[in-house]
DNA sequence: TAGATTGTTAATCGATTAACAATC
DNA sequence: TAGATTGTTAATCGATTAACAATC
């Protein structure tokens, strides 16, 4: 069974999303090992550089094939390359920014996109004043132009950096224009048709999670201080 | 059993992290229902506004107590308030920005922090030029001053916006200074002592996840087009 | 060969979902 | 009372971990 058939036909289980996230982290660790001159590493060695167990790593890799040598471990460069092929990071992907406000402009300037072979080919904004101008060398279009621009430029990804109230409408427009992957920075759950991938970067959820933790911590300290019964 | 005892003494299971994330989303949905004038809602109704099942919602809430009325559902305002207390969002938390580069400055300007009662009380940067200056009204200090500043100002949270190579050192310094919660934007896995909470906002992982999805999609399309065997 | 380490199967653990008695 | 919906227990599902035979 090849990786490509995994999710498609009938009974095979799909690769869990968390596995993909870990693959990305393995790739990163391998890159730094490569730089340090290391040539080979075991799953146990890799585990020491991550929060994951060796068995977890081997099982994650098993979804995609066999990459190691028994008794020896993995070739650092080879494994890194294979992971990068699996993750598809060698291919340049064109993206559209939707929402050229503060966050959007910061994202346009963020080098991480380029480093991951993402290329902003267009930006869209509701503000008439901005339409026709350029930011970071990227032209800003009106939302109404999205279908035409996406079709013209092979854009596959939309990066949503609009206010929460506008996010669903923008996502709908992007999907209608043929976009298949969305990176959503708006604090809302988007609903999209099957076959469209959404990843959320939700600062609200992160901040509330930290709040929760600190609040609980206070309580724990309070209870210990006052010697409450166990 | 009260919520506060959950994770602390002996055998009780800890609240799963995903539950906390969903709580944050429920709170957000309830807020918008509140604005729309809705007074009461069932778990099934709530489910329709999220990607989660009604049973999931009831079970998530069960970790913290009983909030509904059988036969009737939940009081929208009441439930939202209770969730906000659980999440601790009513308390103002002081944060330090570490790394006043492009991303860091964008974060200082981001209104979401203030909206969640996070207040940047100080910023830190390795660049001597920046030390002593202000950004968005926040003073920038040298990293060497972190212990003193954190002690003086009751800072509980560090927002890490430094290059990956510097992240672990900065995290260590923050932890030594007494910080208990870290929001990490650097693409690295930080290692921190027990009792310190780290949340990662890792664009690399998100981008590689989207790449993976698009790559797989291509394969699927390719295979269907060439009518490969099932 | 002996030691190390993979790839994979089986056991465990935990989270989600289904079912339903309690009760408004 | 009948209908609706909770809170909770039990069943299911899936992911992680442990164990180990295969093999370098």
């Amino acid at each position: 069974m090849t990786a490509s058939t995994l999710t498609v036909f009938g009974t095979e289980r799909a690769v869990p999303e968390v596995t993909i996230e870990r693959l990305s982290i393995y790739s990163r660790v391998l890159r730094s090992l490569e730089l340090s001159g290391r040539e080979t590493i075991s799953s146990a060695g890799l585990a020491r550089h991550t929060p994951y167990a060796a068995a977890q790593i081997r099982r994650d890799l098993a979804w995609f094939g066999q990459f190691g040598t028994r008794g020896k471990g993995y070739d650092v460069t080879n494994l890194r390359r294979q992971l990068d092929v699996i993750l598809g990071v060698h291919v340049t992907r064109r993206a559209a920014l939707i929402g050229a406000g503060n966050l959007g402009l910061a994202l346009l300037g963020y080098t991480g996109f380029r480093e991951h072979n993402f290329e902003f080919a267009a930006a869209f904004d509701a503000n008439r004043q901005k339409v026709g101008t350029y930011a970071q060398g990227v032209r800003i279009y009106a939302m109404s132009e999205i279908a035409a621009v996406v079709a013209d430029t092979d854009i596959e990804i939309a990066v949503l950096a609009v206010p929460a109230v506008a996010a669903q409408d923008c996502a709908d427009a992007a999907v209608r224009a043929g976009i298949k992957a969305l990176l959503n920075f708006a604090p809302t759950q988007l609903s999209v048709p099957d076959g469209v991938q959404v990843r959320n970067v939700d600062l609200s959820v992160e901040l509330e999670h930290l709040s929760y933790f600190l609040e609980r911590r206070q309580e724990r300290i309070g209870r210990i201080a006052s010697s409450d019964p166990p």
Side-chain angles (χ1 to χ4, degrees), chain A:
Chain A
M1 180 173 67
T2 64
S4 58
T5 66
L6 280 174
T7 62
V8 183
F9 297 109
T11 55
E12 300 103 340
R13 318 232 65 270
V15 182
E17 303 243 313
V18 281
T19 292
I20 309 304
E21 281 156 38
R22 285 192 297 261
L23 250 41
S24 166
I25 288 166
Y26 304 154
S27 162
R28 180 191 290 168
V29 169
L30 288 163
R31 228 170 298 143
S32 93
L33 288 169
E34 238 180 321
L35 289 173
S36 79
R38 179 105 196 212
E39 292 189 348
T40 168
I41 193 158
S42 66
S43 58
L46 221 31
R48 259 172 261 122
H49 293 266
T50 70
Y52 314 116
Q56 174 90 80
I57 294 172
R58 295 202 301 279
R59 204 146 196 326
D60 283 341
L61 297 177
W63 284 100
F64 299 95
Q66 308 190 164
F67 304 96
T69 310
R70 284 161 201 244
K72 194 152 166 255
Y74 303 92
D75 181 281
V76 171
T77 299
N78 177 256
L79 182 56
R80 200 263 306 144
R81 280 200 195 130
Q82 305 241 35
L83 290 181
D84 285 354
V85 171
I86 292 166
L87 293 171
V89 296
H90 55 296
V91 184
T92 297
R93 306 279 178 193
R94 266 187 274 281
L97 173 72
I98 306 187
N102 281 329
L103 174 61
L105 295 178
L107 291 170
L108 271 192
Y110 180 60
T111 57
F113 284 95
R114 181 159 298 273
E115 283 158 18
H116 284 83
N117 286 323
F118 282 65
E119 189 182 297
F120 281 108
F124 297 89
D125 201 279
N127 183 345
R128 289 271 181 93
Q129 302 272 291
K130 290 183 181 170
V131 172
T133 67
Y134 288 75
Q136 306 274 349
V138 177
R139 177 165 183 161
I140 302 176
Y141 297 88
M143 272 307 286
S144 58
E145 304 174 85
I146 189 167
V149 175
V150 165
D152 275 6
T153 50
D154 270 332
I155 290 173
E156 296 176 286
I157 299 150
V159 176
L160 265 187
V162 298
V165 286
Q168 185 62 57
D169 284 350
C170 291
D172 292 344
V175 169
R176 260 182 273 118
I179 271 169
K180 295 303 174 196
L182 284 160
L183 184 59
N184 177 36
F185 286 87
T188 341
Q189 296 293 312
L190 298 175
S191 92
V192 295
D194 275 4
V196 176
Q197 177 84 345
V198 178
R199 300 289 301 178
N200 293 300
V201 179
D202 193 329
L203 244 344
S204 287
V205 169
E206 296 307 327
L207 296 179
E208 297 194 354
H209 205 298
L210 290 177
S211 282
Y212 169 84
F213 168 80
L214 290 168
E215 191 72 357
R216 281 302 101 104
R217 210 181 98 81
Q218 284 302 323
E219 275 179 25
R220 288 197 298 273
I221 292 169
R223 206 174 39 256
I224 292 160
S226 64
S227 298
D228 264 10

